[in-house]
C-alpha cells in the first residue's frame, strides 16, 4: 500500500534528495539538531531516504544520556547542567559515529544508555550497507566535540518560549558557544510540523 504524500513528506523527500545529490556514494551521517520535534522530523527524513532506496539508520542523542547523578550534579533544574552534563558525547562518537563512518563490517550501536533503569544499555551491535545513511537527532549537535562529525546538519528552529527555564538557559549557552543557525546546511521552521519550511540564517 502506497502512503499518500503530505507536505511534510514532500519536504523531507526534497531534503533527502539534496543530501544524496551531494553525497552519492559511501556512508552519510545527517544531524537533525534542535530542541523541538527533532525526533519526528528525523523519522520522516529517514523514511524519505528509505523511499529513495537508501538504507536509513535512526538514532537519537536521548539514547546517550549520562547517569542521573552526573546529569544532575549541578542540580536537577540547572541550565548549565542540561547543556554540559546531560549527554555522553564521547560514547556517541565511540560506539556510533566513528564505527558507522568506518563502514565495512564494523558494528555500531544506536543506544548507549538505558535512562529508565539508569544503567548502560545492553550492547547491541548493528551493521549496515556500504551506502547507508545515519540520521541522528537531538539538541546541541553542533557543540564542540560533535561539530564537524556530520556530512549534513539540519537545524530545527526552537519554540523557545515553550521550553522550561533550564532548557532555555541551556539553549542560550549553546547559541553563544556554537551559533548553530550559521553552521547548518539547512534551517527548518517547524512551527507547524505538518508544513515544514526552510528559512535562512540571516532571517528573524
Amino acid at each position: 500500500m502506497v502512503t499518500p504524500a503530505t507536505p511534510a513528506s514532500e519536504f523531507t523527500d526534497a531534503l533527502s534528495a539534496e543530501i544524496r545529490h551531494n553525497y552519492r556514494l559511501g556512508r552519510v551521517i545527517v544531524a537533525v539538531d534542535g530542541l523541538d520535534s527533532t525526533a519526528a522530523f528525523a523519522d520522516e527524513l529517514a523514511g524519505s531516504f528509505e523511499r529513495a532506496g537508501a538504507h536509513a539508520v535512526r538514532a537519537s542523542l536521548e539514547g546517550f544520556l549520562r547517569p542521573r547523578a552526573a546529569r544532575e550534579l549541578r542540580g536537577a533544574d540547572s541550565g548549565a547542567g542540561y547543556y554540559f552534563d546531560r549527554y555522553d558525547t564521547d560514547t556517541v562518537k565511540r560506539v556510533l559515529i566513528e564505527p558507522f563512518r568506518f563502514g565495512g563490517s564494523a558494528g555500531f550501536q544506536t543506544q548507549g544508555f538505558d535512562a529508565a533503569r539508569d544503567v548502560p544499555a545492553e550492547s547491541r551491535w548493528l551493521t549496515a550497507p556500504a551506502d547507508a545513511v545515519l540520521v541522528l537527532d537531538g539538541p546541541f549537535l553542533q557543540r564542540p566535540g560533535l561539530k564537524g562529525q556530520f556530512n549534513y546538519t539540519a537545524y530545527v528552529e526552537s519554540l523557545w518560549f515553550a521550553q522550561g527555564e533550564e532548557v532555555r538557559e541551556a539553549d542560550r549557552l549553546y547559541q553563544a558557544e556554537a551559533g548553530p543557525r550559521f553552521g547548518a546546511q539547512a534551517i527548518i521552521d517547524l512551527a507547524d510540523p505538518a508544513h515544514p519550511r526552510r528559512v535562512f540564517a540571516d532571517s528573524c
Side-chain angles (χ1 to χ4, degrees):
M1 179 178 178
V2 177
T3 303
T6 66
S9 67
E10 290 175 348
F11 183 92
T12 55
D13 284 353
L15 187 62
S16 66
E18 173 187 324
I19 296 168
R20 265 311 190 192
H21 176 77
N22 293 325
Y23 302 97
R24 293 184 181 277
L25 299 174
R27 294 280 177 89
V28 177
I29 305 179
V30 180
V32 179
D33 178 20
L35 293 171
D36 298 306
S37 304
T38 57
F41 183 80
D43 287 345
E44 189 76 62
L45 182 59
S48 290
F49 281 114
E50 292 276 359
R51 287 191 292 275
H55 180 89
V57 176
R58 276 285 288 118
S60 174
L61 203 58
E62 290 297 318
F64 293 89
L65 297 178
R66 299 178 72 202
R68 183 176 292 107
R71 299 196 307 266
E72 298 181 358
L73 189 63
R74 305 174 202 239
D77 298 323
S78 168
Y82 194 97
Y83 182 52
F84 292 111
D85 304 329
R86 183 173 177 82
Y87 299 105
D88 186 351
T89 56
D90 289 339
T91 297
V92 174
K93 290 189 290 185
R94 179 173 55 84
V95 306
L96 177 59
I97 294 174
E98 291 171 1
F100 183 88
R101 182 183 292 117
F102 186 74
S105 60
F108 55 88
Q109 296 183 55
T110 56
Q111 183 179 7
F113 195 76
D114 183 339
R117 299 172 58 214
D118 200 37
V119 296
E122 181 178 351
S123 295
R124 182 167 175 258
W125 295 95
L126 308 173
T127 59
D131 293 334
V133 179
L134 168 62
V135 182
L136 174 66
D137 81 275
F140 319 136
L141 288 176
Q142 297 179 75
R143 67 187 307 161
L146 286 178
K147 187 178 179 67
Q149 298 290 317
F150 312 108
N151 299 97
Y152 192 99
T153 299
Y155 178 65
V156 176
E157 291 276 41
S158 174
L159 295 178
W160 192 81
F161 61 85
Q163 304 298 325
E165 179 54 39
E166 76 279 8
V167 180
R168 292 198 295 268
E169 175 58 27
D171 191 53
R172 283 191 287 266
L173 291 168
Y174 181 47
Q175 298 295 328
E177 183 172 52
R181 299 181 92 247
F182 298 96
Q185 283 73 42
I187 302 171
I188 313 300
D189 179 356
L190 286 182
D192 180 359
H195 296 84
R197 69 183 188 93
R198 197 159 177 172
V199 297
F200 297 96
D202 59 356
S203 66
C204 297

